[in-house]
Amino acid sequence: MKFCTTLIAVQNMERSLQFYHDLFDQAVEVDLGWNKTLTCGLTLQEHFDELAGFPAETMKYHSNTMELYFETEDFDEFLSVLGKYPDVELLHEPKTFPWLQRGIRVFDPDGHLIEVSESMYSVACRQFQQGKNVAETAELIQHPTHVVETWYKEYLS
């Protein structure tokens, strides 16, 4: 058995497609009408209540029980793009987590929570640029040394 996708219910496919295209540079990879899979693997499903067989009034949007997670190599650029969409609801302003990663959480048009953070590779590279060695970086960013060692080799190449 293998995990195939994450499917989220959407109320308006076109609005959701525009949101994921504009903010996350996602395009439709598979179009099955009410069901569309984006290039990242996320699947959007319109009329999910009908498909699953439960009453529309039982659909819970903005449930805050899960989040979609995206990473970027250029967090500041994402914030610049996000700034062009003042109607996007934020859970919180950009912040730096204890492991030194910068991130923000926003809601999509249906209230699904999305975290966008800089990649941990980018976080590690920032530490290397500041003169930190592998052990110091691993401790600061709370990642295994062997992972940081791999990133350091990539950083040097």
Side-chain angles (χ1 to χ4, degrees):
M1 181 178 304
K2 70 176 187 171
F3 177 79
C4 294
T5 190
T6 296
L7 181 146
I8 59 172
V10 301
Q11 297 173 74
N12 180 310
M13 182 65 77
E14 291 310 311
R15 180 182 67 183
S16 293
L17 288 174
Q18 194 69 51
F19 175 86
Y20 284 97
H21 174 268
D22 291 354
L23 269 74
F24 300 96
D25 198 28
Q26 295 300 301
V28 174
E29 188 168 276
V30 179
D31 185 340
L32 302 174
W34 288 355
N35 178 293
K36 297 185 188 335
T37 301
L38 305 179
T39 48
C40 67
L42 176 66
T43 300
L44 308 179
Q45 179 72 52
E46 209 169 25
H47 305 287
F48 185 70
D49 55 323
E50 294 175 38
L51 178 68
F54 42 70
E57 63 272 8
T58 65
M59 295 293 292
K60 297 194 179 355
Y61 294 94
H62 224 286
S63 67
N64 299 335
T65 59
M66 58 81 69
E67 80 173 8
L68 302 174
Y69 178 76
F70 287 84
E71 282 189 348
T72 178
E73 296 303 318
D74 191 340
F75 185 67
D76 293 322
E77 174 60 25
F78 175 76
L79 292 178
S80 176
V81 170
L82 181 62
K84 297 174 185 172
Y85 297 89
D87 293 340
V88 173
E89 181 184 356
L90 307 182
L91 177 63
H92 59 74
E93 293 294 324
K95 64 181 179 179
T96 302
F97 301 107
W99 48 93
L100 304 182
Q101 182 185 40
R102 296 179 301 151
I104 189 169
R105 287 186 174 90
V106 302
F107 293 97
D108 81 357
D110 294 289
H112 300 293
L113 183 61
I114 302 170
E115 177 181 343
V116 179
S117 289
E118 63 186 331
S119 74
M120 288 307 297
Y121 172 74
S122 296
V123 176
C125 288
R126 190 166 53 249
Q127 299 310 304
F128 302 148
Q129 290 168 351
Q130 293 174 5
K132 303 286 192 298
N133 64 33
V134 169
E136 292 168 322
T137 299
E139 183 176 340
L140 286 168
I141 69 170
Q142 303 173 21
H143 271 61
T145 303
H146 72 276
V147 171
V148 177
E149 179 69 42
T150 300
W151 289 338
Y152 186 66
K153 289 175 185 173
E154 186 176 333
Y155 169 76
L156 291 177
S157 60

